[in-house]
Amino acid sequence: MKKPLILLLATLLTICCSNNTKHTEAYIRQRIDTIYKGVGQAAYEYEGRDSAYCSQRYYTLMQNAGQLCTQTDDILYDYDHWICGQDWSDDWSYTIDTVYNITDTTALADLTIHNFGDSKTTIALLFERDDWYIDDFSPSPDGNDDKQYLRQTIRQCQEILEKGQ
C-alpha cells in the first residue's frame, strides 16, 4: 500500500513542479524566443507562425475575420503584426524588455521591435495546451487592440454581406 501511495505522490509532485516552471519569467522569455525565432527573415511563413504560436481563440478570430474579408474583397491586415510593419529590414530584431502580470493563465510581455527603427509593443500570452501562446498583439487597457480590431472587422464584414443579400 505504501509503494502505490508514494508513486502517486511523486507523480503529482512532478506534474506540479513541471507546470510551475512554465510560469516563471525565465521560461516565458525562453518561449517568446522560440516563438519569435525566424521572424523577419525572408523565408519565414506567415500562416504557419500564426497557427503554431497564437492561442486557439486568437487564431480562430483571425481565421474568421480573414474568411469574411475574402468574401467582401477587403484586406484584413495591411501590416505584419509579427514585425510591426509592412516590410522588414535586413537587421530586423527584437528584445524582450519585461515580462509581467504572470498568472496561472495569462502574462504580458513588452518588446522592442527593431524594423527600420525601434518601436515598443506588448504581447498578451495565454497558457493553454501546456504552453504559452500569443493571445493578442498590442493589448491595451482601453480595449483598442488587435482582438478588438478582429471583432470589429468581423462585424463590419457581416453587415456588408447582410446588406448585399
Side-chain angles (χ1 to χ4, degrees), residues 66-111:
Q67 290 169 357
L68 287 168
C69 282
T70 299
Q71 293 175 29
T72 59
D73 292 327
D74 286 326
I75 297 172
L76 178 58
Y77 290 114
D78 63 350
Y79 65 96
D80 187 322
H81 48 271
W82 291 98
I83 65 169
C84 295
Q86 290 181 332
D87 299 309
W88 59 82
S89 61
D90 290 337
D91 62 343
W92 186 94
S93 64
Y94 71 96
T95 305
I96 304 166
D97 299 326
T98 55
V99 177
Y100 57 102
N101 290 355
I102 302 168
T103 70
D104 289 342
T105 57
T106 61
L108 294 172
D110 291 336
L111 307 176

Side-chain angles (χ1 to χ4, degrees), residues 18-129:
S18 66
N19 199 25
N20 285 341
T21 60
K22 289 187 175 183
H23 287 77
T24 64
E25 180 181 345
Y27 180 85
I28 294 170
R29 283 177 176 274
Q30 177 186 10
R31 176 65 174 163
I32 294 168
D33 280 335
T34 299
I35 290 171
Y36 271 82
K37 185 178 182 178
V39 171
Q41 297 175 358
Y44 112 102
E45 294 182 24
Y46 176 78
E47 285 292 325
R49 187 162 302 281
D50 289 335
S51 63
Y53 295 118
C54 290
S55 70
Q56 291 174 334
R57 66 184 180 191
Y58 185 84
Y59 186 67
T60 298
L61 266 176
M62 187 185 299
Q63 290 295 300
N64 291 342
Q67 290 169 357
L68 287 168
C69 282
T70 299
Q71 293 175 29
T72 59
D73 292 327
D74 286 326
I75 297 172
L76 178 58
Y77 290 114
D78 63 350
Y79 65 96
D80 187 322
H81 48 271
W82 291 98
I83 65 169
C84 295
Q86 290 181 332
D87 299 309
W88 59 82
S89 61
D90 290 337
D91 62 343
W92 186 94
S93 64
Y94 71 96
T95 305
I96 304 166
D97 299 326
T98 55
V99 177
Y100 57 102
N101 290 355
I102 302 168
T103 70
D104 289 342
T105 57
T106 61
L108 294 172
D110 291 336
L111 307 176
T112 299
I113 304 290
H114 177 78
N115 190 32
F116 301 107
D118 289 346
S119 62
K120 301 282 186 181
T121 191
T122 301
I123 56 173
L125 299 151
L126 179 68
F127 191 80
E128 65 178 20
R129 297 174 278 158

